[in-house]
Amino acid sequence: MKIKNNQYSVFFFLALLSCLCMYFNKHISSVIMTPFTILLSPLPSEKHMADNSARILELENMLAVKEEEIERLGEIFDNIEALKSVHNHEPEIIIEAGILLSRDSTDNRNSFIINKGSKDGVELMSLVTYKKYLLGIVYKLSAYSSIVIQVSDPKMKISVLIQLPDKNKKLKIYDRGLSIGQSKQSCKVKLIKWQSGREFAFEKIDEEWALTGKAITSGLEEMYAPGFAIGDVKVKKLENKNYSFSIFPISLKKVSNVLVSKVIK
Amino acid sequence: MKLHLSILFGVLFLFIGVVVLPNIGFEHHRPDLIAILCIHIIIYNENDRAVLFQTWLIGLLKDALSVEIFGFQSLMLLSFSFILLRIKQSINLKDSLILYLLILLYTFQSQLLHSMIIFVRYEIDLTIISLKSAVITTIFSPFVFFILNLWHKRV
């Protein structure tokens, strides 16, 4: 009987601690995330030199690192250019970040962790982008890392318009849609009275984007600037006289560096 | 299993689940290695208080790398462990058929609960995904149990 009582008391004590953690969620999660960030970050290289061959090896390594750095800076430059072309205003903050972990620990949520946090100037609800793609928003912050919820997470609801090319090199624009994250790296767009789309000639739209169907933020919410791509349109279905689209966001495997930005309103 | 081993396996399985498995083809449906570890702890650990504490700590590890509210996973794992400890008193959970059935139910139940919360909050139905994850976890469980049993016997 005593053992049973102990079991109950331990259970209630730990459950209470969990509830306290949930109550102080923001503070505790930011503290807990820090050791994981340190664990995941690459270790600094050691600077020992034995002889000339070691020196040559070190110089070769340095050259490789510099080449990698040039490639990375080129990518960041492309990202910033793409971001500027999307935003109507100059972004207030632009921070370059790398992806530490590309998946959430639970199966039903879609998030990833970036290696920049509040000490680097990242703020909650900042947009995380890769070129013209919107990847998600910063949802949890720690000092040196942040958790970003992806556009395919069930929490995300973004107003979008969809552009679909047809055989006659014309684009059909379907507007007033709402992209809802479905987990498993996909979104679904529910349509509001989208029985027929408006037609545009190809020349008016970005040619690269015109070749495949794209879901693009329409900017109805203040939070998401218009013009960011959410993902590629793969499936189009007719449901209750309205079209329904499945959207597949860009795979994080293709992404190395991202930009965190916030716009002055 | 001792506390430090549970934490070690917890961290290892968490990283395998988040980093390794999505890169080897389990991008959409991953086996829940943490759930298998928790069941192993519940079955082979005689000290009930240690079971509750260890599963709670493993839940916190899972919380650290999730977008969910911090503490949610730990509370869920703690509750399921408490229920299983009650069941353990009357049923022999080491029986292989019961064990795999238990893993299937345990994973499905925890995933389903999570899906229900997501449904209530965001109106997205993830029931099928929960079932698929539970089946994949059950298929994986003999291999994971084999590794854990090796360690358990050595210690």
Side-chain angles (χ1 to χ4, degrees), chain A residues 105-125:
Chain A
S105 66
T106 60
D107 229 16
N108 296 330
R109 303 299 301 265
N110 285 351
S111 73
F112 59 92
I113 298 177
I114 56 171
N115 63 356
K116 294 287 160 70
S118 55
K119 293 235 167 153
D120 305 294
V122 177
E123 290 177 14
L124 283 175
M125 299 299 159

Side-chain angles (χ1 to χ4, degrees), chain A residues 51-92:
Chain A
D51 49 22
N52 277 349
S53 61
R55 175 71 181 150
I56 291 165
L57 195 69
E58 197 198 348
L59 285 172
E60 277 176 354
N61 284 341
M62 276 170 69
L63 188 66
V65 168
K66 291 288 174 198
E67 278 171 357
E68 223 170 73
E69 181 77 359
I70 290 166
E71 201 176 306
R72 195 176 65 87
L73 287 173
E75 203 172 69
I76 293 165
F77 182 73
D78 289 348
N79 277 350
I80 292 172
E81 286 301 307
L83 191 70
K84 277 183 181 172
S85 71
V86 169
H87 278 301
N88 291 330
H89 317 275
E90 280 287 306
E92 186 183 8

